[in-house]
């Protein structure tokens, strides 16, 4: 069983992980070699700068899956916004084929879901039984 790692930013103690999925504009299959490998490098570089951790990632030709751990005060929305903006700017500069058919690399939308170390039922039960403790 894995150890639960809790972090702190002086104000909040947290363990927040998010599954994030997003696609290139028009769901074009442009995330192919060597772009996919470069994209992974850029995600790692920018996430370290943001003090977020990419726990896992996979690049498919037409979408990206990221498992991100980040400070809730910074926010997953800001992390995703920075990752998309940074990677779009760099990749479109390095790979001209990404500018010819796409007005921008990424769609504006994305999917996000929290990923917890305990189930929803466990948390609900914990809260419900507080007065019994």
């Amino acid at each position: 069983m894995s150890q639960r790692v809790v972090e702190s930013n002086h104000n909040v103690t947290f363990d927040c992980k998010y599954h994030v999925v997003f696609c290139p504009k028009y769901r074009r299959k442009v995330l192919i070699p060597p772009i996919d490998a470069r994209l992974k490098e850029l995600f790692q570089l920018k996430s370290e700068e943001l003090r977020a951790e990419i726990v896992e990632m996979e690049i498919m030709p037409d979408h990206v899956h990221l498992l991100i751990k980040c400070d809730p005060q910074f926010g997953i929305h800001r992390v995703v916004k920075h990752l998309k903006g940074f990677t779009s700017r760099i990749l479109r500069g390095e790979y001209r084929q990404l500018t010819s058919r796409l007005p921008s690399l990424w769609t504006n939308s994305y999917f996000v879901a929290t990923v917890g170390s305990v189930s929803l039922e466990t948390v609900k039960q914990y809260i419900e039984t507080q007065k019994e403790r």
Side-chain angles (χ1 to χ4, degrees), residues 105-126:
L105 179 55
W106 304 114
T107 61
N108 290 331
S109 60
Y110 63 94
F111 165 83
V112 63
T114 56
V115 179
S117 51
V118 294
S119 71
L120 174 62
E121 277 308 310
T122 302
V123 174
K124 282 174 64 177
Q125 184 176 7
Y126 177 78

Side-chain angles (χ1 to χ4, degrees), residues 18-121:
Y18 306 90
H19 178 201
V20 177
V21 182
F22 52 89
C23 307
K25 195 82 167 173
Y26 312 125
R27 196 139 187 175
R28 294 259 165 81
K29 295 181 180 187
V30 295
L31 306 177
I32 55 174
I35 296 169
D36 59 346
R38 180 66 173 137
L39 180 57
K40 282 185 176 186
E41 291 172 4
L42 294 172
F43 279 149
Q44 287 293 0
L45 184 68
K46 190 63 174 179
S47 66
E48 289 170 16
E49 180 186 311
L50 298 172
R51 294 186 13 226
E53 178 187 351
I54 296 180
V55 178
E56 195 62 57
M57 77 174 112
E58 193 55 72
I59 311 298
M60 303 302 291
D62 66 346
H63 66 282
V64 170
H65 285 271
L66 300 172
L67 180 57
I68 301 172
K69 184 173 185 176
C70 73
D71 183 331
Q73 286 189 310
F74 187 78
I76 189 62
H77 178 74
R78 286 174 64 193
V79 171
V80 172
K81 180 180 174 184
H82 283 276
L83 289 174
K84 288 168 83 173
F86 176 73
T87 57
S88 179
R89 187 172 56 257
I90 301 294
L91 290 175
R92 287 165 61 84
E94 293 178 355
Y95 301 96
R96 291 293 174 202
Q97 67 265 36
L98 296 177
T99 60
S100 61
R101 295 174 43 215
L102 298 171
S104 60
L105 179 55
W106 304 114
T107 61
N108 290 331
S109 60
Y110 63 94
F111 165 83
V112 63
T114 56
V115 179
S117 51
V118 294
S119 71
L120 174 62
E121 277 308 310

